[in-house]
Amino acid sequence: MRATQTALRKFFNGIEPFEGLGLDAAKRDYSWDLPRISFDGTPLHTNKTSFEANVELKTRLNEAWNANPDLRREIAQWVVVTWGGISSNKPQTLDFYCSRASREDPSTPLSGISSFSKILAIKDPDKYAIYDARVAVSLNAIQMIYQVSSGMAFPYVLGLNRITGDAASKPPRGFVYREAAKVKNLISAPYYWKRVPRDQAYARYLGLLRENARNIGVPLCHLEMTLFCYAPALACRVFPDLE
């Protein structure tokens, strides 16, 4: 875990071999368009950077979540579907995620974590962060680029990005489908990393993120957004032909 933590620290600080990347660069490069209207009908107009606007929105949604328990299901729906762009969940699945998120210490299996972690990150952004397809790619790509000798092979989740991993293309394409990046190969020669069990992946991820957030002195979401922002760039540094 220490080698993985070191690789992440180098990445977040934009230190060799991660020049041009990192948190400071992400504040400029991060791009995720806000919906025009929030869950409560409030217009979301801003002249701030995409990074600043998304952080501010997360803060406002957290405040609404804590102040209005009766609106939590509506907030969860909006966060996952409208802001997060995931429309595949059934209503009863979102009901379940919202109910589970309201518990003091909810279980966090990997199944559905892309949606569920979005809700958790609104419930308590100081404790939780989003784990999705791009974040999972970044975690492994960073270690591959840094050539860690005792890394942690994180499990991937399905995504639709042509560079990081497009499960819908025929055949599937992108970083996660390259043989060298598959978990079964990361735990074999020449890497011999440790496989992160699927039921422990989210907790391990949060542990790494929290330590870096404390060391750098920034909110957890800043680091998660940096991982999200540069997943395609990191994938291309491992496999240049992906670009």
Side-chain angles (χ1 to χ4, degrees), residues 61-81:
L61 290 169
N62 169 252
E63 292 171 350
W65 177 281
N66 290 324
N68 303 284
D70 291 342
L71 295 178
R72 288 177 180 175
R73 176 59 176 79
E74 185 178 347
I75 293 171
Q77 167 95 18
W78 189 87
V79 166
V80 173
V81 178

Side-chain angles (χ1 to χ4, degrees), residues 30-243:
Y30 183 88
S31 179
W32 187 263
D33 292 338
L34 298 184
R36 290 186 301 172
I37 299 174
S38 185
F39 78 96
D40 59 358
T42 303
L44 294 175
H45 300 306
T46 181
N47 57 2
K48 296 183 178 181
T49 66
S50 182
F51 189 97
E52 293 170 337
N54 277 273
V55 170
E56 182 180 80
L57 178 57
K58 184 167 291 188
T59 299
R60 289 169 55 187
L61 290 169
N62 169 252
E63 292 171 350
W65 177 281
N66 290 324
N68 303 284
D70 291 342
L71 295 178
R72 288 177 180 175
R73 176 59 176 79
E74 185 178 347
I75 293 171
Q77 167 95 18
W78 189 87
V79 166
V80 173
V81 178
T82 307
W83 190 21
I86 301 176
S87 58
S88 57
N89 290 293
K90 297 178 180 179
Q92 56 265 37
T93 302
L94 286 173
D95 289 342
F96 175 69
Y97 289 157
C98 188
S99 175
R100 193 202 301 176
S102 297
R103 299 173 187 171
E104 183 175 345
D105 189 20
S107 60
T108 52
L110 199 68
S111 177
I113 198 64
S114 292
S115 296
F116 186 42
S117 64
K118 285 177 171 59
I119 300 171
L120 290 175
I122 294 304
K123 169 196 172 181
D124 189 347
D126 293 328
K127 185 177 181 180
Y128 299 105
I130 297 170
Y131 186 106
D132 61 12
R134 287 172 61 146
V135 164
V137 164
S138 289
L139 291 172
N140 287 343
I142 287 167
Q143 296 178 85
M144 294 175 76
I145 294 167
Y146 196 64
Q147 299 180 350
V148 300
S149 58
S150 54
M152 301 169 64
F154 280 88
Y156 300 114
V157 295
L158 290 179
L160 297 174
N161 182 279
R162 66 180 181 82
I163 293 176
T164 58
D166 185 356
S169 67
K170 301 186 183 301
R173 60 179 176 174
F175 178 92
V176 304
Y177 300 104
R178 294 295 176 93
E179 283 300 316
K182 292 180 178 179
V183 170
K184 68 177 182 179
N185 291 318
L186 293 175
I187 62 175
S188 306
Y191 300 104
Y192 297 112
W193 294 358
K194 296 292 185 181
R195 182 195 299 268
V196 178
R198 293 178 64 84
D199 62 348
Q200 298 177 23
Y202 187 60
R204 296 276 188 92
Y205 160 65
L206 289 180
L208 291 167
L209 226 57
R210 288 168 186 162
E211 183 173 337
N212 270 293
R214 284 194 300 269
N215 291 339
I216 299 173
V218 297
L220 212 60
C221 70
H222 286 204
L223 302 188
E224 169 255 302
M225 291 167 69
T226 304
L227 291 170
F228 176 90
C229 176
Y230 289 120
L234 290 164
C236 290
R237 289 198 182 191
V238 178
F239 304 116
D241 61 308
L242 284 174
E243 193 167 12

